[in-house]
């Protein structure tokens, strides 16, 4: 079984390694500025987890806990350990602790995006047909269209609207 620890702040052990993975795993338009990272870590709803297999660092999950669901904002596996099943194991354990989970993926315009959708579907995620635009993390970079996935079932229109409000008013505040 994998284990995880919560990172409480930028001075926490493992933050530097998690942040290096974050910076390498996500494109600029999907990443927070340094001051926004610090702000998220201070928010009681935000949880940054560092995951291990024994003592080996395998990945990170950054998520937001809301009443009735959890939103995974960022999930990444250590680049040296990809394609070894760690993402599936990490996410499977996470889902056992978070009965309703929402996340977003890129539109299905590339082979990688299709593989990502298949990965999430293999774990029980469902595609939701709502037109969804994620607010930009940076001035001068446009908002971007994403696909909303949810586990273990699709979400209702009301649940989607609540998620979108939480995303705009809390996550991106």
């Amino acid at each position: 079984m994998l284990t995880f620890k919560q990172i409480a702040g930028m001075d926490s052990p493992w933050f530097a390694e998690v942040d290096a993975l974050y910076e390498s795993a996500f494109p600029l338009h999907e990443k927070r500025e340094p001051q926004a990272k610090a702000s998220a870590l201070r928010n009681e709803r935000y949880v940054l987890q560092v995951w291990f297999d024994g003592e080996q660092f395998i990945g990170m999950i950054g998520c937001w806990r809301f009443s009735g669901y959890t939103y995974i904002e960022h999930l990444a596996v250590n680049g040296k350990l990809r394609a070894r099943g760690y993402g599936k194991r990490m996410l499977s354990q996470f889902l056992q602790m978070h009965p309703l989970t929402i996340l977003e993926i890129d539109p299905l315009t590339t082979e990688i995006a299709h593989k990502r959708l298949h990965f999430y579907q293999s774990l029980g995620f469902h595609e939701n047909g709502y037109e969804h635009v994620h607010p930009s993390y940076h001035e001068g970079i446009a908002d971007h269209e994403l696909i909303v996935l949810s586990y273990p079932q699709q979400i209702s229109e009301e649940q989607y609207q609540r998620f979108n409000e939480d995303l705009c008013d809390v996550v991106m505040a």
Side-chain angles (χ1 to χ4, degrees):
M1 177 168 269
L2 304 177
T3 59
F4 69 90
K5 296 176 183 174
Q6 185 169 331
I7 293 177
M10 293 175 130
D11 58 345
S12 294
W14 291 100
F15 179 79
E17 193 151 4
V18 168
D19 195 48
L21 173 59
Y22 174 86
E23 290 297 330
S24 68
F26 299 100
L28 176 64
H29 72 277
E30 294 180 9
K31 293 188 291 196
R32 294 177 174 276
E33 300 280 353
Q35 65 274 21
K37 289 178 199 176
S39 178
L41 283 167
R42 287 190 301 271
N43 191 306
E44 64 185 14
R45 294 184 180 276
Y46 183 70
V47 177
L48 181 57
Q49 300 173 337
V50 54
W51 285 76
F52 301 92
D53 185 359
E55 297 295 314
Q56 184 172 34
F57 165 63
I58 62 159
M60 55 83 63
I61 296 177
C63 64
W64 295 81
R65 295 176 299 197
F66 292 101
S67 178
Y69 76 97
T70 301
Y71 164 57
I72 296 177
E73 182 179 22
H74 295 99
L75 180 151
V77 173
N78 182 337
K80 300 172 195 165
L81 302 173
R82 289 197 185 118
R84 296 188 188 180
Y86 281 118
K88 191 169 219 165
R89 289 174 59 196
M90 192 168 67
L91 190 52
S92 292
Q93 282 183 230
F94 182 91
L95 294 171
Q96 290 175 18
M97 297 177 276
H98 303 275
L100 179 57
T101 299
I102 297 173
L103 56 79
E104 304 149 309
I105 63 169
D106 289 325
L108 303 177
T109 57
T110 65
E111 185 177 335
I112 291 172
H114 282 276
K115 286 180 180 179
R116 193 167 288 134
L117 175 61
H118 178 71
F119 167 78
Y120 287 118
Q121 287 175 329
S122 75
L123 289 165
F125 278 86
H126 296 269
E127 191 173 344
N128 293 273
Y130 307 111
E131 288 189 25
H132 177 70
V133 177
H134 190 287
S136 179
Y137 286 99
H138 308 277
E139 283 189 37
I141 296 179
D143 297 351
H144 52 286
E145 185 179 331
L146 294 173
I147 297 170
V148 176
L149 302 181
S150 56
Y151 171 90
Q153 72 268 338
Q154 289 181 322
I155 55 175
S156 68
E157 173 76 27
E158 182 181 319
Q159 288 171 308
Y160 169 74
Q161 291 302 330
R162 187 162 152 240
F163 158 68
N164 197 47
E165 288 173 17
D166 290 339
L167 175 66
C168 294
D169 297 344
V170 179
V171 174
M172 300 304 293

